[in-house]
Amino acid sequence: MWSDGLAKPGAKVLKRETLTIEGARFRKAGLGKDVTDKFLAGLPGVQKEGCDGLITSAKWILHRMPPHVRTVCMEFYGQARDAVPSIVEIKDYLEGPGKACGALLAGLEHLDERYLRAVGYSPKSKRGAFPKWYSLATSWAILKTPSPKPPLK
């Protein structure tokens, strides 16, 4: 169901659509449970976590996009322990100086090598190797003041 976003959810319906997906297409063959739960027949923006079961209905609530959105994508090629400081630094910045300027951390996701291979990820680095870990950090903001530059380490 699509609503206009101005009225209460479901008050002004613009369109209704039922998605029918046969079971054989729902999970990608040959993948482990953790990866196939995230596949869900290729539906964008849908992620199922938790127990095995059937999704009998779903509701999407779409909100207006904030005026400023940034996503940082990072490929990591070494051990996870080498990547953690970078992730912590981004999180700390967005919870400190970034938040003071109106930026909020909207999402922080990591994808391991197995998942990247399963979805056919194409590495962006020119290393000629496949990343061990890929992280996405998304923030959105209604900026109050120009964002201060983080200190160089």
Side-chain angles (χ1 to χ4, degrees):
M1 174 173 57
W2 281 260
S3 297
D4 70 352
L6 300 174
K8 290 183 180 180
K12 186 175 179 185
V13 177
L14 301 175
K15 178 181 173 183
R16 289 181 185 271
E17 181 179 350
T18 300
L19 300 175
T20 304
I21 303 168
E22 62 275 5
R25 269 193 57 225
F26 204 66
R27 285 192 165 188
K28 191 170 182 178
L31 300 180
K33 178 188 176 300
D34 291 341
V35 175
T36 57
D37 282 351
K38 293 181 180 179
F39 182 72
L40 294 177
L43 289 175
V46 177
Q47 184 170 340
K48 176 184 162 289
E49 303 262 353
C51 65
D52 282 338
L54 297 175
I55 298 173
T56 57
S57 67
K59 181 189 231 181
W60 281 266
I61 299 174
L62 302 177
H63 300 277
R64 294 190 188 287
M65 288 294 292
H68 305 282
V69 177
R70 297 291 180 265
T71 299
V72 177
C73 307
M74 300 164 283
E75 293 176 339
F76 295 99
Y77 290 84
Q79 298 295 319
R81 69 176 174 264
D82 298 330
V84 170
S86 300
I87 303 301
V88 170
E89 187 174 347
I90 288 169
K91 184 177 174 295
D92 288 347
Y93 176 78
L94 287 170
E95 289 178 349
K99 187 174 184 179
C101 295
L104 296 173
L105 182 62
L108 186 57
E109 181 80 23
H110 95 275
L111 311 172
D112 64 11
E113 182 179 13
R114 183 175 170 208
Y115 180 81
L116 294 173
R117 288 189 187 282
V119 298
Y121 176 74
S122 176
K124 308 305 180 259
S125 172
K126 297 181 182 189
R127 295 174 181 240
F130 204 79
K132 297 289 181 190
W133 193 19
Y134 179 85
S135 289
L136 297 145
T138 302
S139 68
W140 63 268
I142 300 172
L143 295 178
K144 300 174 186 172
T145 60
S147 179
K149 292 184 180 180
L152 296 174
K153 291 187 177 182

